[in-house]
Amino acid sequence: MTETFLPDTLQICRGETRGLNPNGIARYEYRWSPSTGLDDPTVDNPLASPLQTTTYTVTVTDFNPDTCQVVRQVTVVVPPDFELTAGEDARTCGEEVLLMASGEGDLEYFWSNEPTFGTILGIGQEFLAAPSRPGLYYLQGIDEFGCPKIDTVRVFDLGIGVEVEPLTICKGDTQQIRTENRYPEDVRTFSWSPVESIISGADTDAPAVAPSENTTYTYDISLLNLEAIQDL
């Protein structure tokens, strides 16, 4: 019978899964105990995900050619859970928002806008979040054992998100003022002034104008789907 080697201890972070016996031999019979936290206590390499530190005992039997049996143990250490919060959801009108993380113990903090943390936007408890929609940010805390935990926070941008570039028009010409909409899903109404030199579209995002002198055009915007935006 080939010897069965198991480590004395094996660390598994809460919520993670690891095999207990990667070098197991499938033709042997395995009986793992307790079965709590194991996907199958009768296979050579069960996947373990216990919620607390647990010592597993395995009885390995080889029936060929004679019956041989060994008993081995491995202790799966599950570090204690810890508190982590990314703070309360915030609302802004186009301004950056300072987010403040808090956690239990000596943690490392990482901020991202991806659940996989493929892009790290910031490191540390404080993070200056740029306004965006839907504005969901992910916070990952890693404890002294290397175990991660994730929390999320939303930054709602309630700003209008419209930009207008200066326009040069020769006297006698007509041109459209073009606006750049950062959030095209918004439902807006425009009101441009002064109306005297606006040829058409005074209530649209692209009015046609024909000023006879240098003119500063002013627009008022109403955001009609504000309630829907806050629900994002």
Side-chain angles (χ1 to χ4, degrees), residues 40-51:
D40 188 341
T42 65
V43 297
D44 57 326
N45 184 32
L47 298 178
S49 55
L51 298 179

Side-chain angles (χ1 to χ4, degrees), residues 133 157-162 179 181-191 203-205 220-230 232:
R133 294 188 194 150
D157 183 12
L158 304 181
I160 296 299
V162 171
T179 60
N181 187 355
R182 190 164 72 243
Y183 302 125
E185 70 277 8
D186 285 356
V187 180
R188 299 179 173 92
T189 61
F190 284 77
S191 177
D203 57 353
T204 70
D205 61 351
D220 292 327
I221 301 179
S222 297
L223 190 56
L224 303 184
N225 59 329
L226 181 61
E227 181 175 349
I229 291 172
Q230 295 185 73
L232 287 177

Side-chain angles (χ1 to χ4, degrees), residues 14-25:
R14 183 179 295 267
E16 293 184 350
T17 299
R18 290 183 65 179
L20 295 183
N21 184 30
N23 298 317
I25 300 174

Side-chain angles (χ1 to χ4, degrees), residues 104-150:
E104 180 183 7
D106 186 16
L107 304 179
E108 292 183 277
Y109 298 90
F110 300 92
W111 297 88
S112 180
N113 56 357
E114 303 172 4
T116 60
F117 288 83
T119 301
I120 302 298
L121 301 178
I123 298 176
Q125 285 187 266
E126 295 184 354
F127 171 62
L128 196 60
S132 62
R133 294 188 194 150
L136 180 62
Y137 291 95
Y138 297 85
L139 168 69
Q140 182 183 67
I142 299 179
D143 68 8
E144 59 185 303
F145 302 99
C147 293
K149 192 171 187 178
I150 294 176

Side-chain angles (χ1 to χ4, degrees), residues 2-229:
T2 303
E3 181 61 275
T4 298
F5 296 99
L6 293 177
D8 292 332
T9 60
L10 182 67
Q11 178 181 294
I12 299 179
C13 296
R14 183 179 295 267
E16 293 184 350
T17 299
R18 290 183 65 179
L20 295 183
N21 184 30
N23 298 317
I25 300 174
R27 67 182 178 86
Y28 293 168
E29 178 184 88
Y30 292 81
R31 291 289 184 268
W32 296 84
S33 177
S35 60
T36 304
L38 301 181
D39 67 331
D40 188 341
T42 65
V43 297
D44 57 326
N45 184 32
L47 298 178
S49 55
L51 298 179
Q52 59 187 9
T53 297
T54 305
T55 297
Y56 290 101
T57 300
V58 60
T59 301
V60 185
T61 305
D62 182 9
F63 295 101
N64 185 26
D66 299 315
T67 300
C68 295
Q69 195 172 75
V70 296
V71 178
R72 297 289 184 267
Q73 284 188 331
V74 57
T75 297
V76 175
V77 178
V78 180
D81 194 14
F82 57 90
E83 296 296 325
L84 178 74
T85 177
E88 298 293 329
D89 290 346
R91 287 174 168 77
T92 178
C93 288
E95 302 295 330
E96 293 181 320
V97 175
L98 181 63
L99 301 179
M100 175 69 74
S102 62
E104 180 183 7
D106 186 16
L107 304 179
E108 292 183 277
Y109 298 90
F110 300 92
W111 297 88
S112 180
N113 56 357
E114 303 172 4
T116 60
F117 288 83
T119 301
I120 302 298
L121 301 178
I123 298 176
Q125 285 187 266
E126 295 184 354
F127 171 62
L128 196 60
S132 62
R133 294 188 194 150
L136 180 62
Y137 291 95
Y138 297 85
L139 168 69
Q140 182 183 67
I142 299 179
D143 68 8
E144 59 185 303
F145 302 99
C147 293
K149 192 171 187 178
I150 294 176
D151 194 25
T152 59
V153 61
R154 289 183 181 273
V155 177
F156 298 90
D157 183 12
L158 304 181
I160 296 299
V162 171
E163 297 179 359
V164 183
E165 294 187 1
L167 184 65
T168 299
I169 304 176
C170 294
K171 189 173 182 178
D173 288 348
T174 299
Q175 288 195 37
Q176 277 188 314
I177 298 176
R178 300 196 178 276
T179 60
E180 182 178 347
N181 187 355
R182 190 164 72 243
Y183 302 125
E185 70 277 8
D186 285 356
V187 180
R188 299 179 173 92
T189 61
F190 284 77
S191 177
W192 293 85
S193 63
V195 297
E196 291 77 15
S197 56
I198 298 177
I199 305 302
S200 62
D203 57 353
T204 70
D205 61 351
V209 297
S212 58
E213 58 185 3
N214 291 341
T215 303
T216 298
Y217 290 93
T218 303
Y219 58 91
D220 292 327
I221 301 179
S222 297
L223 190 56
L224 303 184
N225 59 329
L226 181 61
E227 181 175 349
I229 291 172

